[in-house]
Amino acid sequence: MGRTDYSLLLAQAQAITAGEEDLIANLSNLSALVYEALEDVNWVGFYLTREPNKLVLGPFQGKVACLRIDFGKGVCGAAASTQTTQRVEDVHEFPGHIACDSASNSEVVVPLIVDGKVVGVFDLDSPSVGRFSEDDAAGLSKLGRFIETLNWSSLTHV
């Protein structure tokens, strides 16, 4: 498995979102970009904070996923409640892991924070135990910092 060039991935993310103000359109393309760029992943996407302390499924690539996750529950909820990136070697050893897809064995979740509030999480799953390195977690966290700069105010109810 080759090492991911996160500088290139960040530049590609910036290029495909440039000039587009709609958050859902941008998150949709970003999930597709990362899904195609990383080897050995089976789910890449976003959960968005749509209710107090609750994440709701957003744009993603992969199999059908859990719809709602409470802050503090599972890896996504842990990232949201602690506001820190979670890198889990083996999700089956993670207390309270939520098995949306039984084929997933490792996970990285990056919290997305705007104005001090968690607006969502960026979630990646792999069928391989130990798939994500510290370098992956750091590179994906940098990508998360960019995602936080997108137009989150466009996420409105019409």
Side-chain angles (χ1 to χ4, degrees):
M1 184 166 51
R3 187 176 164 141
T4 301
D5 183 343
Y6 285 102
S7 295
L8 175 60
L9 189 59
L10 178 59
Q12 291 170 325
Q14 292 166 333
I16 67 170
T17 58
E20 178 54 58
E21 290 297 313
D22 188 272
L23 181 68
I24 297 299
N26 283 326
L27 296 181
S28 297
N29 263 346
L30 288 169
S31 61
L33 172 72
V34 175
Y35 188 80
E36 293 299 320
L38 269 66
E39 296 177 22
D40 196 28
V41 294
N42 60 340
W43 203 91
V44 174
F46 299 90
Y47 280 90
L48 307 175
T49 305
R50 304 289 280 167
E51 299 173 22
N53 298 312
K54 189 173 292 281
L55 298 165
V56 179
L57 182 64
F60 71 93
Q61 297 285 308
K63 292 183 179 181
V64 171
C66 298
L67 294 172
R68 295 173 184 272
I69 299 172
D70 292 331
F71 280 32
K73 303 286 184 183
V75 183
C76 288
S81 64
T82 64
Q83 297 190 10
T84 58
T85 296
Q86 304 290 306
R87 182 178 69 90
V88 180
E89 294 274 326
D90 184 345
V91 295
H92 306 290
E93 294 178 3
F94 189 89
H97 172 251
I98 302 167
C100 296
D101 179 357
S102 61
S104 293
N105 287 305
S106 62
E107 188 169 7
V108 169
V109 182
V110 178
L112 303 170
I113 303 164
V114 176
D115 296 329
K117 295 184 179 180
V118 175
V119 293
V121 298
F122 179 34
D123 182 21
L124 297 90
D125 294 351
S126 170
S128 298
V129 172
R131 158 60 181 94
F132 300 105
S133 66
E134 288 290 345
D135 285 345
D136 290 314
L140 293 165
S141 292
K142 284 181 186 171
L143 186 55
R145 301 300 71 84
F146 166 70
I147 294 166
E148 292 169 346
T149 70
L150 298 175
N151 182 19
W152 286 84
S153 66
S154 72
L155 192 60
T156 58
H157 301 282
V158 178

